[in-house]
């Protein structure tokens, strides 16, 4: 339960290559708050990030754009469908 579930949820965010395509990041998705807070922290180890731009809510999109502007380590970004990100 509690702590174990929370640790399991954030463990993938500790890696240098993070794939969020399986996360529920829609408007009422359970991982939205966690992912937004993580992105706003501008994780220093992050080098590769994958998510489905078409399935994420505005809060996650804004946080992602912030990471892209601020990070110095991100070298690979995949947002799902080609041309999906403005």
């Amino acid at each position: 339960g509690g702590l174990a579930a929370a640790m399991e949820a954030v463990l993938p965010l500790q890696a240098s290559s993070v794939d969020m395509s399986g996360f529920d990041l829609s408007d009422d998705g359970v991982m939205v708050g966690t992912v937004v807070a993580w992105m706003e922290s501008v994780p220093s180890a992050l080098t590769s990030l994958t998510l489905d731009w078409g399935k994420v809510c505005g809060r996650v999109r804004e946080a992602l754009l912030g990471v892209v502007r601020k990070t110095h380590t991100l070298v690979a970004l995949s947002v799902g469908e080609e041309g999906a990100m403005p």
Side-chain angles (χ1 to χ4, degrees):
L3 182 58
M7 291 301 293
E8 189 175 311
V10 298
L11 192 60
L13 301 178
Q14 304 303 311
S16 60
S17 180
V18 177
D19 184 350
M20 296 185 182
S21 55
F23 290 13
D24 179 4
L25 299 174
S26 60
D27 283 325
D28 54 356
V30 295
M31 288 292 291
V32 170
T34 301
V35 166
V36 168
W38 172 76
M39 286 185 182
E40 288 175 348
S41 76
V42 189
S44 59
L46 184 65
T47 58
S48 174
L49 181 61
T50 301
L51 58 78
D52 189 337
W53 185 259
K55 294 182 180 176
V56 301
C57 67
R59 286 179 58 208
V60 172
R61 289 180 179 192
E62 286 180 30
L64 173 64
L65 294 174
V67 165
V68 170
R69 279 194 300 270
K70 296 174 187 169
T71 186
H72 299 287
T73 58
L74 187 64
V75 294
L77 176 63
S78 174
V79 292
E81 294 178 26
E82 194 166 316
M85 188 173 175

